Amino acid sequence: MDLMTEIVIFVLAAFVGFEVISKVPTTLHTPLMSQTNAIHGIVMLGGLIVIGLSDNTLDNVIGTIAIAFGTINIVGGFMVTDRMLGMFTRKPKPAPAEIEQSRTEPLDAETGSSETTGGSA
Amino acid sequence: MPLALLEPGSDAVTALYLVAVVLFILGVRQGTHPTTAKRGNMIAAVGMAIAVATTLLFDGIGNWGLIIAGIAIGSAVGVIASIRVQMTAMPQMVALYNGVGGGAIALISWSELRHALEIGEALPLDTLIPILFSAVVGSVSFWGSNIAFAKLQDLIPTRPLKVPGQQILNALLLVGIIAACVNLSINNDDPSQAVFIGVLIAAALLGNLVVLPIGGADMPVVISLLNAFTGLAAAAAGFALDNIALIVAGTLVGSSGTLLTLEMATAMNRSVPNILFAGFGGAPAAGAVGGGEERPHRSVGPQDAAIALAYADSVVIVPGYGLAVAQAQHAVKEMADELEKRGVNVNYAIHPVAGRMPGHMNVLLAEADVPYDKLREMDEINPEMPRTDVAVVIGANDVTNPAAKNDPDSPIAGMPIIEVSEARQVVVIKRSLSPGFAGIDNDLFYEENTSMLFSDAKAAAQEIAAEIENL
């Protein structure tokens, strides 16, 4: 593939990446990071390619480590992301109506709370 | 090889890689909402399976014993780590994953160079330059991430470690690396492997030296940045190997890391170079010296705090890294449950840089079953603060310091904060009055409507929950 084609792919991928990822809410930033950890496990492909070219011990060792590292990223990254996202999927308990109500309550509903903590010093 | 079916670079391979990268993009896109994110992760994983399977069918793939060994070791480590890791330790885990990714890339680039030397072919610059870039950035990312991991895991001190003349040393290393890369590029018909190894080592040193002086509270920025580096190094490796799956996937990760880095830096009102090179410990250390004198503050016990909370209408909980350290997320949820039973409206205010990585607090509280719509972002909750009866600060410090707003000379001046002092009352749960990471006194502790509850976050939350139940 010629260099210019690769540069075109790179630039377009960067724009797609910025577009898509800027829509991920802050609540999901940690799973986003672990998922992108898994996606950069794609370097394992590089390990597979270089180990196929290898005919000596050092390159064998380098290739094996690279494959193992990439696999850790892929397997560990996707699994831990799945585990985390499982925690987010539960439906929030309070019905939306209830939240709406509590937010529209009179703002200055006074309680005795402001006097109560002063006690101990 | 019976398995060798596909010619690298053939249309079939490109088509399969295209399917894989489209699945990556769709997967990340589904990550924009908590209800679809899990499916999105699956979609991305299917994309990865397709990319790996395609590559395994390449003509020229060999050394099957080692491939299987590498995959087996990697899978075992990955499975065990992902099952065992605690949610409080996610920043370390992500740092480590950034590191192994970077390490793999640096090693691959070295092997590519060795292969070219072996067959005695000149490396065209459009291959050699990406090899050098991925070697340098991969090595920086590997070592930098390991240091970040060691700091987060408390293996080495989290405070900024400074060496005199460090900036100059870093600059010299960088210049040296660039000079060596230029030398290798000029001699691209026979690049010296010794010089290349020197580049790898210099980049390793640079990775260590850049991350060592960065303190714990700046970790969200560092982790995001290392994530971006690893992604870009993977994309560069894709240029070197003419592999579009690597280019697109690496670029996606690079964009993600870059966006998060900028977002974290904005949330601290500091520039990325400032965080990386100024060392937060530097300037503030001088300001912190003045913190010697005792200032009056009000200290309360769990019972007083329980009464204040139980009779409030609205409570906002402000979590910070201390909550993660104390593993207090479940105890805090119990406390909130007790309050909700009494009809108190409880919300959580999440500062973008609370914790040690982007979204750290959200994951912890999700683990404790706090519904995600109760986790409110800073800009959303701040206008509600004046209407809040009690703000409970648990293990957070600098992100609540009013000095950021009021004192233009403060080292954190201009940093957006959760404006807890606007609430009618503030309860701060903290072990002591000691200043936060930035080394500056928190004026919040001495304000009239602030009560200090000196305790471990988990113990305090449990005690308050028990007291509320007994009221």
Side-chain angles (χ1 to χ4, degrees):
Chain A
M1 208 180 336
D2 72 291
L3 180 65
M4 267 333 281
T5 312
E6 288 176 349
I7 291 175
V8 169
I9 293 171
F10 170 77
V11 172
L12 293 181
F15 274 99
V16 171
F18 275 107
E19 273 306 308
V20 173
I21 285 150
S22 60
K23 295 192 178 67
V24 176
T26 48
T27 295
L28 294 177
H29 276 171
T30 297
L32 170 68
M33 290 200 90
S34 63
Q35 192 180 352
T36 57
N37 274 163
I39 293 176
H40 71 54
I42 192 87
V43 298
M44 182 211 167
L45 269 49
L48 294 176
I49 294 168
V50 296
I51 209 170
L53 305 171
S54 159
D55 59 1
N56 59 74
T57 314
L58 179 56
D59 283 316
N60 281 345
V61 172
I62 292 175
T64 309
I65 296 175
I67 291 171
F69 276 6
T71 311
I72 291 176
N73 267 178
I74 295 173
V75 174
F78 282 124
M79 278 186 65
V80 85
T81 308
D82 186 70
R83 198 180 133 204
M84 259 191 277
L85 290 172
M87 297 168 179
F88 281 98
T89 49
R90 291 180 200 94
K91 269 274 159 267
K93 287 256 169 60
E98 198 181 318
I99 295 170
E100 203 46 51
Q101 186 210 343
S102 60
R103 280 191 197 156
T104 51
E105 265 172 19
L107 307 177
D108 49 358
E110 266 307 325
T111 63
S113 60
S114 40
E115 282 88 16
T116 39
T117 24
S120 67
Chain B
M1 282 290 151
L3 273 173
L5 303 168
L6 296 172
E7 199 59 41
S10 66
D11 289 350
V13 169
T14 309
L16 285 166
Y17 277 167
L18 178 64
V19 172
V21 298
V22 166
L23 292 177
F24 291 157
I25 293 168
L26 286 177
V28 175
R29 217 182 101 89
Q30 300 267 306
T32 52
H33 197 275
T35 50
T36 54
K38 201 172 153 92
R39 189 176 59 209
N41 191 50
M42 288 290 181
I43 293 173
V46 170
M48 187 61 78
I50 292 173
V52 172
T54 303
T55 313
L56 283 172
L57 294 175
F58 271 17
D59 187 16
I61 292 289
N63 252 333
W64 287 97
L66 292 176
I67 288 177
I68 291 167
I71 293 177
I73 297 167
S75 302
V77 174
V79 168
I80 294 169
S82 66
I83 291 173
R84 287 217 177 153
V85 66
Q86 291 194 313
M87 288 302 124
T88 45
M90 277 315 296
Q92 290 91 305
M93 176 129 217
V94 167
L96 214 51
Y97 281 172
N98 283 337
V100 294
I105 296 163
L107 287 173
I108 290 165
S109 61
W110 185 20
S111 190
E112 278 179 82
L113 183 97
R114 287 171 51 80
H115 179 69
L117 289 174
E118 208 170 286
I119 59 174
E121 249 175 40
L123 271 166
L125 285 185
D126 63 0
T127 303
L128 181 59
I129 291 172
I131 286 180
L132 293 172
F133 181 87
S134 53
V136 172
V137 179
S139 183
V140 166
S141 180
F142 178 69
W143 290 100
S145 299
N146 289 346
I147 295 292
F149 167 79
K151 283 185 169 240
L152 290 161
Q153 192 70 29
D154 275 329
L155 299 176
I156 56 173
T158 46
R159 71 189 144 76
L161 296 174
K162 304 206 95 170
V163 183
Q166 191 153 23
Q167 312 290 33
I168 299 165
L169 191 56
N170 287 349
L172 284 176
L173 275 171
L174 192 60
V175 170
I177 289 170
I178 293 169
C181 288
V182 170
N183 169 288
L184 289 166
S185 304
I186 293 169
N187 301 309
N188 67 326
D189 48 342
D190 186 23
S192 151
Q193 189 175 190
V195 174
F196 183 84
I197 293 171
V199 167
L200 282 180
I201 294 172
L205 266 176
L206 189 64
N208 278 287
L209 287 172
V210 167
V211 179
L212 267 174
I214 301 176
D218 287 340
M219 279 301 161
V221 182
V222 175
I223 290 182
S224 308
L225 190 68
L226 291 167
N227 189 237
F229 274 16
T230 307
L232 289 176
F239 275 86
L241 292 164
D242 284 334
N243 186 307
I244 62 161
L246 274 161
I247 296 177
V248 178
T251 309
L252 267 185
V253 179
S255 329
S256 170
T258 308
L259 268 177
L260 289 175
T261 308
L262 296 174
E263 212 165 291
M264 294 300 110
T266 310
M268 298 174 116
N269 192 37
R270 293 167 65 204
S271 70
V272 177
N274 175 274
I275 290 162
L276 285 182
F277 302 116
F280 211 5
V289 182
E293 83 269 35
E294 275 284 309
R295 292 165 67 183
H297 61 272
R298 181 167 51 185
S299 150
V300 296
Q303 197 180 4
D304 302 297
I307 292 168
L309 290 167
Y311 293 103
D313 278 333
S314 57
V315 167
V316 171
I317 295 173
V318 187
Y321 184 55
L323 179 131
V325 173
Q327 301 265 5
Q329 66 271 36
H330 297 285
V332 168
K333 172 67 164 51
E334 279 166 38
M335 182 180 88
D337 283 346
E338 285 299 329
L339 288 170
E340 279 172 340
K341 267 191 232 163
R342 300 179 65 97
V344 180
N345 183 25
V346 182
N347 279 293
Y348 299 79
I350 314 290
H351 193 280
V353 295
R356 289 293 182 262
M357 73 179 297
H360 191 190
M361 292 297 121
N362 305 71
V363 167
L364 286 188
L365 292 167
E367 187 196 11
D369 274 341
V370 175
Y372 50 78
D373 63 351
K374 292 208 155 264
L375 309 178
R376 314 280 295 278
E377 289 178 32
M378 175 172 65
D379 296 338
E380 194 191 334
I381 199 94
N382 270 344
E384 292 180 24
M385 275 300 174
R387 294 178 245 143
T388 300
D389 291 314
V390 188
V392 190
V393 180
I394 305 177
N397 190 352
D398 294 330
V399 298
T400 63
N401 192 342
K405 255 177 89 184
N406 306 332
D407 177 4
D409 295 327
S410 169
I412 57 167
M415 174 168 123
I417 56 162
I418 309 256
E419 295 173 359
V420 284
S421 40
E422 298 286 323
R424 298 200 178 100
Q425 278 190 75
V426 183
V427 176
V428 178
I429 300 174
K430 204 173 176 304
R431 284 165 182 280
S432 70
L433 280 177
S434 65
F437 163 73
I440 23 173
D441 222 0
N442 191 341
D443 294 341
L444 176 72
F445 302 162
Y446 313 103
E447 283 186 0
E448 215 171 301
N449 59 349
T450 301
S451 311
M452 301 296 298
L453 202 171
F454 295 113
S455 171
D456 169 75
K458 188 177 178 179
Q462 283 167 341
E463 282 162 20
I464 293 173
E467 292 286 351
I468 295 171
E469 211 180 348
N470 294 335
L471 277 178

